[in-house]
Amino acid sequence: MRTDDDSDQVRRHTEERMARMIAYARAGTTPFVFIPLLGWDRLQYPVISLLSALVATGEATWFFRRVWRRGDLRDSLLIWADVAFCVALMLVGTRAAVPADRNVITTEFLPFSLVASAAMGFGLGFQKKAVPGLAAMCAAWVLALYPHFALKLVSDLLGFLLWYVIAVLIGRELRTLAEATERAQRAARRAQRLLAEQEKLTVITRQRELAHREIHDHLLPIVDHVAAGQVVDPGLARAARLGANRARRFIMDPRVVTGLPFGQLMEELCDVYVDRGLALTSVILVDGEPPEEVGEAVAAAAREALTNVLKHAGDDVRVNLFAESGAGGLEVVIRDRGRGFNTTVVRPGGGFLSTFAAVARHGGACVVTSEPGAGSRVTIRWPKEAHAE
């Protein structure tokens, strides 16, 4: 399971990427400090230019290694040491040329120094403490070129400001994106936890339904029959054998009870009640298999309806069962011509309540219609709109 520290990885990686962007910029602008050496003969003090280039390379190496190791530009030592070095580089390195050539030959120190403005933008953002750094670099460049100014000086000074502002804006956008990504990841993890809990609850509910169904539909009728001292006829013995086999399978794996196709499941159900003496006529049409759990739930509701016919409809009552399953869903209709009952007076028992609720949880519906003396009709549909009249 992820922790809160793990949720900050996006932000840390964003800071690392911004830091490496500046590190690449520092490495990429370092060769510029060697360009004045190409005009060695025009330099007043070429050794100063050479030493400035070598020291700048050393500073760039330190900058790159520190950024790569720490992965964060919000490092006061890194930022201010880099600003101080760039100020010194502009003031000292430009002394290699005569004053009139400084704006031509030693202007190549400028790209190296502009990276310091970008580093401040990423590391400090729009903070007041960035102002002294920007002012120091602008002032150093003005002093480096003094007294021979050109119109290019305006663009140079504007460059320090723009690199800083653009870096601030890019850093703000990247950090905002990182925060939004983290929020989305946290929401996704919460949704995954809720889904896992829901799936676990669904599995527990299904196992409870299966356990209740096996005990209520297959074991209790046999126990009740034997406890009442009634004769164990061949039909009951067959039902007992089937119930024992189902119980063994359930004990071995509660997730799977029958694994039978819906048509075979209904045929076995009808055979059991015919063996128990019910005058049952059945028509079973299967043109498409429903999900296994749906088939189990529908069969359990049909079994409960047939059990109630056997118990309450009267002797020698004829029963018709029609079951049809196809691509659009399935429907089971059980019709008897027994005593019937008043649906507004007689409350459904626990078997009906549990099995009907299981069908409803899978998106189906069960409807019972009956009148005293006119028999009863139980209709089971999945989904509940299937075969609607």
Side-chain angles (χ1 to χ4, degrees), residues 26 71 86 121 123 150 254 270 343 346 359 384:
R26 168 61 76 228
C86 289
C270 293
T343 56
V346 179
V359 172
K384 60 183 179 180

Side-chain angles (χ1 to χ4, degrees), residues 180-199:
T181 302
E182 287 182 354
R183 288 195 297 271
Q185 289 181 341
R186 286 194 293 269
R189 286 193 290 272
R190 285 195 298 270
Q192 289 175 349
R193 286 195 297 268
L194 291 175
L195 180 60
E197 292 173 359
Q198 185 62 41
E199 289 178 348

Side-chain angles (χ1 to χ4, degrees), residues 22 67 82-83 101 104 113 121 131 150-151 183 213 216-217 221 245-246 259 281 289 304-305 309 330 340:
I22 294 299
V67 167
D82 190 52
V83 169
D101 289 340
V104 178
S113 302
V131 175
L151 187 61
R183 288 195 297 271
R213 187 185 308 161
H216 180 273
D217 295 349
N245 290 334
R246 291 173 65 91
T281 301
E289 285 292 324
E304 182 63 25
V309 172
L330 63 86

Side-chain angles (χ1 to χ4, degrees), residues 14-32:
T14 300
E15 293 297 336
E16 288 176 0
R17 290 186 183 94
M18 289 192 294
R20 291 177 181 181
M21 287 169 58
I22 294 299
Y24 294 144
R26 168 61 76 228
T29 55
T30 300
F32 282 85

Side-chain angles (χ1 to χ4, degrees), residues 280-341:
L280 175 63
T281 301
S282 61
V283 176
I284 300 172
L285 305 174
V286 177
D287 191 36
E289 285 292 324
E292 182 180 344
E293 61 274 13
V294 173
E296 282 282 345
V298 171
R303 184 181 297 110
E304 182 63 25
L306 292 175
T307 298
N308 282 347
V309 172
L310 197 61
K311 288 182 179 179
H312 307 299
D315 299 331
D316 300 325
V317 174
R318 300 192 63 81
V319 185
N320 295 99
L321 182 146
F322 173 81
E324 183 180 8
S325 176
L330 63 86
E331 181 179 53
V332 176
V333 179
I334 299 168
R335 178 78 167 89
D336 72 75
R337 294 166 180 78
R339 298 191 182 96
F341 61 95

